[in-house]
Amino acid sequence: MKKIAHHELGQTTIIYYENPQGGCEWVLVPSEKVDHVELPQRLKFDSLIQVKLVGDDFPKGFVTGSTMRNSETVRKLTFDSQTVKVTLDGMVRINTFLQDQQGNVYEHILRGHGDANVFETFVRFENQTEMNQTLEMLSTFSLSNLSPFNSRNQAGNLLITRYRSKWSFEGRKEQQPIEEYQLEPSWKPSGVGLEKFGQVGSMPVRNYFPTAVITDVAENVSWGVRLAHPGSWQGEFYRLDEDLCFSGGLADRDYGGWTKTVAPGETYTTPSAYLTVCIGNEEDCGNQFNDFFSEQVSHNAHETEEAMSVMFNEFCTTWGNPSETSVTEAISILKEHQMDYYIIDCGWYADAVKGWEKNMGDWVPNPKHFPNGVKPVIEKIREAGMVPGIWFEIETVGRDATAFSLVDHLLKKDGFPITIGDRRFWDMNDPWVIDYLAEKVIGFLKEIKAGYLKIDYNDNFGMGCDGTESFGEENRKQLMGTHRFFEQIRSELPELIIENCSSGGHRLEPSTMMRTDLSSFSDAHESLSIPIIGANMHQLIPPRQNLMWAVLRKEDSIERIYYSMTANFLGRLCLSGDITELSSKQWEAIDSGVTFYREVCHLIKHGASYRFGTAVLSYRDPTGEQAVIRYSHDGREALLVVHGFERAGTIDIPLRNRYEIVDRYGAPVALIQTNEGVSCRFTNDFQGAVYYLKKK
């Protein structure tokens, strides 16, 4: 292949090639490994743009109906030109232009600061013909030459890491050699090996997180991708010969019912993905991503968020039945215990007779529970020294609400309102809806002077809805409408702190998280799996945005309180539960945990995380042990969070340096210095402890 360009961007080198058929592909490698590049032996070449136009031939290789990669559209692509621009603040933008035989232009964009080692990429299609062009697949990214260090990949050398997810069991790591997915060449490269995954609907972290990592074990190099899209998406691992490829973006016509017709002179731009390559494994990729996204959050962070404020959310206290009385009783206790935020969760709008679960959408305070309205309660929270927050589920309406019957303004499929259980969905591109929500949500927040907004989203409208375009494109447009409303809230209430929640963790993807301050990680609440899921998140979202739960019950032993509290040192500390019924001894254990959290939260905010212990098989009935060590970037400090489950024994944790224990919190777990690090021995089942370490 002919080299087009060679760019060194910080610790990453990007090389572009023109392949013999006239197309273009690329290689991303750590700069210190660039001399090791030895491209695979191949019979075909792969494009950095993967696209399929209606009317063009489908790909061969027994894959029609499964993938549209390497269709006739791709085979027609030829390299045109490349431009590179560097802004005054050091932002690099590389635009690579390709054309097809009809005259359509495909612009591949890569941009980022070299020192971040994380790069945003997306594709823009421009119809320069005189006829409508209909896309049925257009990927955001396509990586090939995996791994570029091997002319012939050795069995077991390439690993794929993905992260499975379901409600209250988010982020379970799945790692396999590519051979387990039949991604190795057959005796003759006639049949494609394909592993396609993703989700269809409006909950992007259903089934899988939209992220994956490919690791070359021998070279100790990993490539990571995080797709930034709130709707239907797909990823495709593809291999015909020695070249492993990975592409993804919007779920295509076969997978997500997506087509897009682009008129002459018009353009279409894909969602973004973020790419990184690093020396190390999937944890190193996760840390590199999290550093990058932490910086994006901190640019606009509020003072209380920069301080990693501690919060109380009353959901697991009243279970959807907050009232002026319950809030008043709670704040009389909490104002003595260092809380920074108080969030009134769902149910404040409940119907006095029918209750709260099916009444979202009208947003009228419950006159029985809030006889004086919500504003006086918000004022009481402020007077107690806490930032007051409130819950909304903005995009849906419940069966018991008047809004449920406003079908002209709700999403429909085949002419019928999309009804999931007891919920329907506003059309977020309907100007009437936006005006209504601006009054009911933004106007209400202004009136009561709330300082914190929890945005929930508790069902999935599926592939798409009726409209002028395909179901898949209407899916995307609906969710872009949601994002625009988030931005409208931010614009009109710039000091508001916004939490992203979707039945816990169904929206933990970059495009939504960058529009909010922090995110609920799960609805696991008080389950035994809290520390397991919390540790999972360290490879997937910045810990500073990872809102945990410490649900405290009056019957909890001190060790159970330690177990719940120490799990929250894996992210943001949020209390709930039987606050008004706890004993002084229980509060003593909680208060010491809050004090210790404030001492070490700078390590949660910035650092690099590594996990130890045998993978937990059952989240419902966990056994074994787990440790997460989080190092400061200079290595001088570390935070060690350990948890023992049923039949817990001893876990060895290697450390980068020799450290001394400065402070600790939690159960009486024995921590013993060893030549390699420390050894942690649990004395009972379900114990948790945290250690603050400093370099000797």
Side-chain angles (χ1 to χ4, degrees):
M1 291 189 295
K2 176 184 175 183
K3 185 184 290 188
I4 296 169
H6 179 116
H7 305 285
E8 289 192 20
L9 305 175
Q11 297 174 31
T12 304
T13 293
I14 305 174
I15 308 170
Y16 293 82
Y17 297 94
E18 184 176 5
N19 70 44
Q21 282 82 38
C24 181
E25 56 185 303
W26 62 342
V27 174
L28 287 77
V29 293
S31 295
E32 66 181 82
K33 292 273 191 177
V34 71
D35 292 338
H36 294 209
V37 170
E38 183 181 357
L39 297 184
Q41 299 170 354
R42 296 178 294 165
L43 299 178
K44 64 143 191 77
F45 297 87
D46 211 79
S47 174
L48 55 71
I49 290 176
Q50 288 294 332
V51 59
K52 170 72 170 66
L53 288 171
V54 169
D56 284 350
D57 293 351
F58 289 88
K60 61 181 295 186
F62 317 120
V63 292
T64 304
S66 297
T67 184
M68 298 184 190
R69 293 186 93 262
N70 293 318
S71 67
E72 181 189 12
T73 315
V74 172
R75 297 197 302 273
K76 290 178 178 177
L77 296 179
T78 57
F79 171 72
D80 180 76
S81 61
Q82 185 177 93
T83 62
V84 180
K85 294 181 180 178
V86 183
T87 61
L88 293 175
D89 65 352
M91 174 71 76
V92 179
R93 181 183 176 112
I94 303 172
N95 290 29
T96 306
F97 297 89
L98 288 81
Q99 287 189 343
D100 63 23
Q101 293 177 1
Q102 300 175 67
N104 297 301
V105 173
Y106 304 79
E107 182 182 3
H108 179 276
I109 298 103
L110 182 87
R111 63 187 182 192
H113 286 90
D115 57 0
N117 293 303
V118 172
F119 303 93
E120 181 185 8
T121 187
F122 53 96
V123 173
R124 181 177 293 119
F125 170 84
E126 183 176 354
N127 180 358
Q128 291 192 356
T129 75
E130 297 180 356
M131 299 175 61
N132 285 348
Q133 302 288 299
T134 300
L135 297 157
E136 53 185 339
M137 189 269 282
L138 181 63
S139 291
T140 289
F141 70 93
S142 185
L143 299 176
S144 55
N145 299 300
L146 300 170
S147 163
F149 305 118
N150 308 294
S151 60
R152 188 180 192 279
N153 281 309
Q154 299 302 308
N157 182 51
L158 289 181
L159 304 179
I160 289 173
T161 305
R162 301 184 294 188
Y163 302 87
R164 301 189 70 94
S165 206
K166 63 169 280 188
W167 180 75
S168 290
F169 280 180
E170 293 85 355
R172 187 184 188 109
K173 183 162 72 174
E174 171 190 285
Q175 185 176 76
Q176 298 276 7
I178 63 171
E179 290 80 9
E180 293 286 355
Y181 301 107
Q182 294 193 314
L183 291 168
E184 60 179 336
S186 303
W187 65 273
K188 177 186 176 186
S190 296
V192 168
L194 182 75
E195 177 66 14
K196 190 169 183 173
F197 67 110
Q199 80 85 30
V200 174
S202 52
M203 286 179 158
V205 182
R206 184 180 65 162
N207 301 329
Y208 286 96
F209 276 73
T211 190
V213 179
I214 303 97
T215 300
D216 181 324
V217 176
E219 289 287 337
N220 191 32
V221 172
S222 294
W223 293 262
V225 180
R226 283 189 185 176
L227 183 64
H229 178 58
S232 301
W233 63 271
Q234 68 184 35
E236 299 184 83
F237 290 102
Y238 175 104
R239 193 176 182 196
L240 178 66
D241 48 28
E242 289 303 323
D243 184 16
L244 176 67
C245 309
F246 180 42
S247 60
L250 289 171
D252 62 26
R253 185 178 188 177
D254 288 338
Y255 195 68
W258 181 84
T259 62
K260 174 68 180 179
T261 298
V262 183
E266 292 186 348
T267 63
Y268 184 81
T269 303
T270 69
S272 292
Y274 293 85
L275 310 178
T276 193
V277 60
C278 66
I279 304 292
N281 61 14
E282 73 282 354
E283 286 187 305
D284 296 294
C285 270
N287 286 320
Q288 204 149 284
F289 274 132
N290 287 343
D291 281 348
F292 173 82
F293 288 113
S294 288
E295 286 301 312
Q296 310 310 303
V297 175
S298 67
H299 289 163
N300 300 307
H302 304 275
E303 182 179 348
T304 53
E305 279 300 286
E306 282 300 299
M308 300 284 283
S309 292
V310 176
M311 64 199 76
F312 172 78
N313 180 305
E314 58 76 46
F315 179 66
C316 296
T317 303
T318 70
W319 295 111
N321 287 291
S323 66
E324 181 171 353
T325 300
S326 70
V327 175
T328 302
E329 289 178 352
I331 60 177
S332 67
I333 301 293
L334 291 171
K335 66 182 181 181
E336 306 298 328
H337 295 285
Q338 304 182 59
M339 294 298 106
D340 301 303
Y341 301 162
Y342 187 113
I343 296 93
I344 301 171
D345 212 281
C346 58
W348 59 268
Y349 52 86
D351 182 88
V353 176
K354 295 180 180 179
W356 65 272
E357 292 187 82
K358 298 182 283 187
N359 202 42
M360 71 290 296
D362 292 345
W363 304 123
V364 177
N366 181 341
K368 180 179 179 181
H369 287 179
F370 294 91
N372 303 303
V374 172
K375 187 175 181 179
V377 181
I378 294 292
E379 291 172 349
K380 287 183 181 181
I381 295 171
R382 283 204 183 276
E383 290 167 3
M386 292 176 280
V387 174
I390 199 161
W391 179 99
F392 271 92
E393 188 172 340
I394 293 169
E395 298 150 80
T396 70
V397 299
R399 189 177 294 276
D400 290 340
T402 302
F404 196 79
S405 64
L406 300 177
V407 295
D408 289 346
H409 304 292
L410 303 176
L411 295 186
K412 300 182 186 68
K413 192 171 185 181
D414 301 322
F416 298 96
I418 298 174
T419 307
I420 312 294
D422 292 308
R423 278 178 170 79
R424 289 177 175 172
F425 303 83
W426 289 121
D427 179 349
M428 297 300 290
N429 290 299
D430 180 340
W432 184 93
V433 170
I434 299 307
D435 288 345
Y436 176 88
L437 292 175
E439 175 189 348
K440 291 290 187 176
V441 179
I442 300 175
F444 180 76
L445 293 169
K446 289 178 178 178
E447 178 192 347
I448 67 172
K449 294 183 169 59
Y452 185 108
L453 169 63
K454 177 178 179 179
I455 301 178
D456 214 338
Y457 181 74
N458 287 303
D459 226 312
N460 188 328
F461 65 74
M463 181 180 287
C465 53
D466 293 343
T468 59
E469 303 193 74
S470 65
F471 280 155
E473 179 62 5
E474 293 297 333
N475 172 291
R476 186 195 68 84
K477 288 163 60 177
Q478 166 72 4
L479 293 160
M480 292 303 97
T482 294
H483 276 183
R484 284 193 296 274
F485 191 71
F486 282 17
E487 291 160 4
Q488 183 176 341
I489 295 171
R490 181 72 82 195
S491 174
E492 295 194 36
L493 293 164
E495 298 305 313
L496 189 70
I497 298 149
I498 302 177
E499 175 190 339
N500 160 42
C501 181
S502 178
S503 288
H506 279 113
R507 278 184 165 173
L508 298 176
E509 57 80 29
S511 71
T512 302
M513 293 188 68
M514 287 192 289
R515 288 173 167 83
T516 54
D517 297 288
L518 66 169
S519 293
S520 181
F521 83 121
S522 180
D523 267 353
H525 299 310
E526 55 199 296
S527 75
L528 296 172
S529 61
I530 283 277
I532 304 166
I533 302 169
N536 291 349
M537 293 301 109
H538 277 239
Q539 293 182 36
L540 294 162
I541 66 174
R544 66 172 292 164
Q545 285 188 285
N546 183 23
L547 176 57
M548 306 281 292
W549 286 95
V551 180
L552 309 164
R553 296 297 177 203
K554 59 185 177 181
E555 64 270 14
D556 283 350
S557 67
I558 298 302
E559 280 211 341
R560 182 62 169 100
I561 286 175
Y562 286 149
Y563 185 87
S564 300
M565 290 289 292
T566 54
N568 279 238
F569 284 72
L570 295 167
R572 296 294 298 279
L573 178 54
C574 178
L575 305 187
S576 194
D578 302 335
I579 298 301
T580 61
E581 301 178 82
L582 300 176
S583 69
S584 58
K585 187 175 181 181
Q586 288 172 314
W587 268 117
E588 183 180 344
I590 296 164
D591 287 342
S592 62
V594 173
T595 299
F596 187 52
Y597 184 88
R598 295 187 191 281
E599 181 184 357
V600 300
C601 65
H602 63 286
L603 290 167
I604 301 169
K605 185 176 176 182
H606 298 297
S609 303
Y610 297 91
R611 184 179 189 168
F612 299 93
T614 304
V616 175
L617 178 61
S618 170
Y619 283 23
R620 185 174 63 173
D621 299 306
T623 61
E625 313 84 23
Q626 168 186 291
V628 175
I629 181 79
R630 186 159 174 84
Y631 296 102
S632 63
H633 285 309
D634 62 10
R636 294 180 180 275
E637 299 173 279
L639 186 68
L640 176 62
V641 184
V642 296
H643 283 88
F645 311 117
E646 190 175 2
R647 299 194 298 276
T650 300
I651 181 171
D652 295 323
I653 305 121
L655 299 178
R656 292 180 173 178
N657 297 302
R658 296 287 292 178
Y659 292 94
E660 60 182 352
I661 299 172
V662 176
D663 205 349
R664 73 176 306 280
Y665 169 76
V669 175
L671 194 69
I672 303 165
Q673 293 270 357
T674 66
N675 290 333
E676 293 76 27
V678 291
S679 181
C680 177
R681 181 169 55 82
F682 296 93
T683 56
N684 284 308
D685 292 345
F686 300 107
Q687 291 181 309
V690 187
Y691 298 87
Y692 179 26
L693 310 176
K694 282 192 176 181
K695 188 178 178 181
K696 287 185 177 180

